[in-house]
Amino acid sequence: MPFDLARFRERLLDWFAASARDLPWRRDYAPYRVLVSEVMLQQTQMERVVPYFERFLARFPDFDRLAAAGEDELLSAWEGLGYYARARNLQKTARAVVAAGGRLPEEAGALRELPGVGPYTAAAVAAIAFNRDEAVLDANVERVLSRVLDVDEPVKAPAVRRQLAAEAARLLPPGRARDFNQAMMELGALVCTARSPRCANCPLREDCEALHLGIVNERPVPGKRVTFTPLVVASGVVVRAGRVFIQRRLPQGVWAGLWEFPGGRVEPGESPAAAVVREIGEETELAVAAPEHLALIRHGYTTYRVELHCFLCAVVPESPPPVLHAAQEYRWARLSELDGLAFPAGHRKLIDRMRQDIRLCELMEG
DNA sequence: TAAGCGTGGCA
DNA sequence: TTGCCAAGCTT
């Protein structure tokens, strides 16, 4: 059966009307809420975003409140979501919107000028908040179209992406951009999934070329696969007079502006205990001794797989005061202070372990 | 154009 | 356990 555009649109929109998940930003499609949700959803799955979205909106209910937020308050609300530049850019956008009178532009071209708003987010906000006729192209749409149209080249290749963007625009029913785009992404998330797609329940099963050919599992064609680099890291919980040393990371690079415990990479042939003493000296000029193993935490970030060795360290009595070489600010903090500050996920896990360590808690009292 | 930028879930 | 994956943007 030939591809029928009207049928494709009708079945997709009917399916979405019946199957759309109840999400907080789908209540009224208020532009601020749509923008926050779309930025949170960059490279992040729906289920993970929803609780962050609720907390974020409670703290920062509008552009004005977000524009006025402090750095720790902002990053703390984002802690655990990753890609923290998103939070900073979202605040920059809020400030630009406030400066421009308080309203978000409605056209994709103007939205695209805002910090942290790329081609996807500009089209998504224009379509979902303002129902402008823009077609989004995200990983879900790429996957759906690569199957429906049987695309036999890697979908991440720029030329293929341009082609898929044009196809998405062709499929878009004029005047229905809000529902159409969400329907394509929702279908990708719930039915046309990367693994174990539910083709028997798919509203587009009659329109799907890859399904007809029996090669759904060969679509989309993957691109170059990323290699993960194992990394051994040692970090120190440096305690003095009931307080722990923490430092704020530099404004550029990974975990920019977040707080952390000092430490760094364990060199080949070096023990984690020796590395933590060396790294703390290099980063802070603090002299510490007798590192005592606290925890071993495994986590990953971007393309690294990290084995994080954590030690409790004492400052030697004749140690000089801290001088920072890998951070912009430091603090001797009480355990209870750490909750209002943003830490990388691995260090947050360490804080959780610290709270379970009775002897450490006794050391931190008072 | 390619690499940097997080994180947790899942098979 | 390990590899793969997710509603991308910036430089």
Side-chain angles (χ1 to χ4, degrees):
Chain A
M1 187 180 302
F3 183 83
D4 184 323
L5 179 59
R7 185 183 65 183
F8 173 94
R9 289 169 168 173
E10 183 181 354
R11 289 185 173 171
L12 180 69
L13 290 173
D14 285 350
W15 174 85
F16 184 66
S19 310
R21 289 171 288 187
D22 181 30
L23 298 170
W25 51 90
R26 285 182 179 162
R27 292 206 295 263
D28 57 4
Y29 294 112
Y32 174 71
R33 297 165 65 86
V34 171
L35 175 66
V36 171
S37 72
E38 288 302 337
V39 174
M40 284 187 171
L41 284 162
Q42 292 169 7
Q43 299 286 282
T44 310
Q45 290 175 327
M46 181 77 76
E47 303 73 34
R48 185 153 180 75
V49 163
V50 170
Y52 279 91
F53 179 85
E54 303 277 25
R55 285 196 299 272
F56 196 91
L57 265 289
R59 274 204 216 187
F60 314 116
D62 51 43
F63 283 115
D64 284 303
R65 301 285 288 276
L66 179 54
E71 182 177 17
D72 285 327
E73 190 186 14
L74 176 71
L75 292 175
S76 192
W78 209 270
E79 189 197 83
L81 266 186
Y83 292 128
Y84 297 93
R86 292 185 294 173
R88 298 174 176 286
N89 284 331
L90 190 55
Q91 184 178 49
K92 286 182 195 163
T93 283
R95 288 173 174 167
V97 167
V98 169
R103 285 194 181 278
L104 206 55
E106 297 192 12
E107 293 177 16
L111 287 161
R112 181 69 183 77
E113 302 299 313
L114 297 166
V117 178
Y120 165 78
T121 306
V125 172
I128 297 172
F130 302 112
N131 203 30
R132 295 280 177 139
D133 284 338
E134 297 283 346
V136 307
L137 184 64
D138 76 328
N140 286 304
V141 178
E142 284 171 15
R143 187 170 55 254
V144 170
L145 291 183
S146 77
R147 288 171 174 164
V148 170
L149 305 174
D150 185 34
V151 176
D152 62 4
E153 296 172 279
V155 289
K156 295 297 182 188
V160 178
R161 278 182 57 86
R162 278 193 295 275
Q163 204 170 342
L164 289 178
E167 292 292 349
R170 183 178 61 85
L171 295 171
L172 171 73
R176 299 297 307 276
R178 169 178 290 158
D179 291 334
F180 173 80
N181 284 302
Q182 292 191 90
M184 289 288 282
M185 293 189 282
E186 196 87 336
L187 189 74
L190 299 181
V191 176
C192 194
T193 50
R195 283 172 294 211
S196 308
R198 299 154 176 81
C199 298
N201 300 321
C202 182
L204 306 180
R205 59 187 177 277
E206 289 183 71
D207 305 292
C208 184
E209 189 64 22
L211 181 59
H212 287 159
L213 297 171
I215 56 172
V216 168
N217 289 327
E218 296 169 38
R219 302 288 180 265
V221 176
K224 197 173 57 180
R225 68 181 174 88
V226 293
T227 55
F228 285 81
T229 309
L231 209 55
V232 183
V233 170
S235 286
V237 175
V238 179
V239 173
R240 193 191 64 182
R243 295 180 183 238
V244 59
F245 179 90
I246 57 173
Q247 58 183 5
R248 189 198 289 280
R249 293 180 60 89
L250 298 173
Q252 304 293 329
V254 68
W255 299 308
L258 274 70
W259 292 85
E260 67 170 4
F261 303 101
R265 187 172 187 165
V266 178
E267 300 294 343
E270 187 180 35
S271 75
V276 80
V277 172
R278 176 183 55 75
E279 285 285 347
I280 289 170
E282 290 173 4
E283 289 190 341
T284 72
E285 296 190 17
L286 283 168
V288 302
E292 181 186 329
H293 181 261
L294 266 183
L296 175 60
I297 292 168
R298 293 176 199 282
H299 69 114
Y301 70 93
T302 61
T303 60
Y304 296 99
R305 188 79 68 180
V306 180
E307 190 176 272
L308 177 62
H309 296 258
C310 307
F311 295 89
L312 178 61
C313 302
V315 182
V316 305
E318 58 272 25
S319 172
V323 178
L324 300 181
H325 296 282
Q328 46 176 324
E329 181 185 354
Y330 75 87
R331 196 178 289 185
W332 290 98
R334 296 177 186 282
L335 210 44
S336 58
E337 270 181 79
L338 305 182
D339 284 338
L341 304 174
F343 286 82
H347 288 216
R348 178 57 69 185
K349 289 179 190 170
L350 170 56
I351 293 170
D352 294 341
R353 302 274 190 93
M354 288 162 62
R355 293 227 164 82
Q356 295 167 9
D357 189 309
I358 295 171
R359 221 168 37 73
L360 180 56
C361 289
E362 287 171 355
L363 210 55
M364 297 290 298
E365 277 178 10

